[in-house]
Amino acid sequence: MAVDHYENFPVASLLLPARLRPAVTAIYAFARSADDIADEGDADAPQRLAALEAYEHGLDLIEADAPAQTPIFERLHQTIRAHQLPLQPFRDLLSAFKQDVVTNRYVRYDDLLDYCRRSANPVGTLMLHLYRTPDAQNLRDSDAICSALQLINFWQDVGIDWQKERIYLPQEDLQRFGVSADDIAAGRADEKWRRLMQFEVERARALMLSGAPLAKRLPGRIGWELRLVVQGGLRILERIEAVQGDVFRRRPKLGKTDWLTLAWRALTM
């Protein structure tokens, strides 16, 4: 299980009902391709923003029930119409992608959570709509799980993000623990860094656990899918702790042997 920017979409999951796979694939194609516009290749910032504006126009056409201009948006239009999906989560995703183009630091934790609200939470919202379970309590818990997954991805990828000149760790936390950008650039996993990472791990874990009851409330396949997602995120946090926060030299990730642990933990939640 990858806890990555848009890799927690259950596109190929055996737990995903066949009837929903085309819809999830269409949503994933939109999110993945738009994310790549913001992150991949050698385009400059104005070019990336212009391309994302074109995606925004694609959503406008869907809202107007006008013909799509690309296969991605044709499939997305069909999916939104067939499942009566809200458009706002798609607009929120684009807002986050645009922010990635122009923002590479976050001053406060609340600023980072606002980014997660738009970069990660829409995925859970759309899945709940596909399963026709988007009540207020479910949406609240889904937001907690999705934001926690995004934070976990940031914590395991500090070194990778630095290569893109991005620091997702809140600046207020770096200052609190006496860690500088130079420390990150040098991959300096000293005592200050270990205390910072333990603080961030505990915060992400608390957020994940606050939303975890959703996995037990949702019936059938979606409940089991979500149990594995929750346990996968928690397992990554354990991996970060196991290397004492040194994500520079040993990027924490899940291996084949973790699946038995995840399955057992999902079963006994």
Side-chain angles (χ1 to χ4, degrees), residues 1 15 141-142 145 149 205-218 220-235 238 259-269:
M1 177 181 301
L15 293 175
D141 286 353
S142 173
I145 291 171
L149 285 172
R205 179 182 287 123
L207 186 59
M208 177 69 82
L209 292 176
S210 74
L214 175 63
K216 295 189 289 184
R217 281 200 312 275
L218 294 180
R221 291 183 174 187
I222 185 176
W224 286 107
E225 179 82 44
L226 196 53
R227 288 182 184 211
L228 288 170
V229 168
V230 167
Q231 294 303 329
L234 294 173
R235 186 64 168 166
E238 292 177 357
W259 280 101
L260 285 178
T261 300
L262 298 186
W264 174 251
R265 291 180 177 180
L267 184 66
T268 57
M269 279 183 69

Side-chain angles (χ1 to χ4, degrees), residues 164-256:
K164 301 175 183 179
E165 300 183 352
R166 293 177 183 164
I167 299 177
Y168 287 103
L169 290 158
Q171 297 296 298
E172 63 182 4
D173 295 347
L174 295 177
Q175 293 173 8
R176 174 181 174 182
F177 288 93
V179 174
S180 68
D182 289 341
D183 293 325
I184 295 175
R188 191 171 294 119
D190 57 12
E191 181 60 28
K192 293 184 294 184
W193 176 259
R194 287 192 289 272
R195 289 190 289 110
L196 168 63
M197 288 299 288
Q198 187 61 44
F199 173 76
E200 303 296 2
V201 163
E202 291 172 358
R203 183 150 62 178
R205 179 182 287 123
L207 186 59
M208 177 69 82
L209 292 176
S210 74
L214 175 63
K216 295 189 289 184
R217 281 200 312 275
L218 294 180
R221 291 183 174 187
I222 185 176
W224 286 107
E225 179 82 44
L226 196 53
R227 288 182 184 211
L228 288 170
V229 168
V230 167
Q231 294 303 329
L234 294 173
R235 186 64 168 166
I236 289 289
L237 292 177
E238 292 177 357
R239 292 289 193 192
I240 294 174
E241 290 177 318
V243 298
Q244 296 185 304
D246 188 359
V247 295
F248 302 109
R249 294 164 184 81
R250 291 165 289 182
R251 180 183 184 270
K253 59 182 180 180
L254 301 180
K256 294 180 181 180

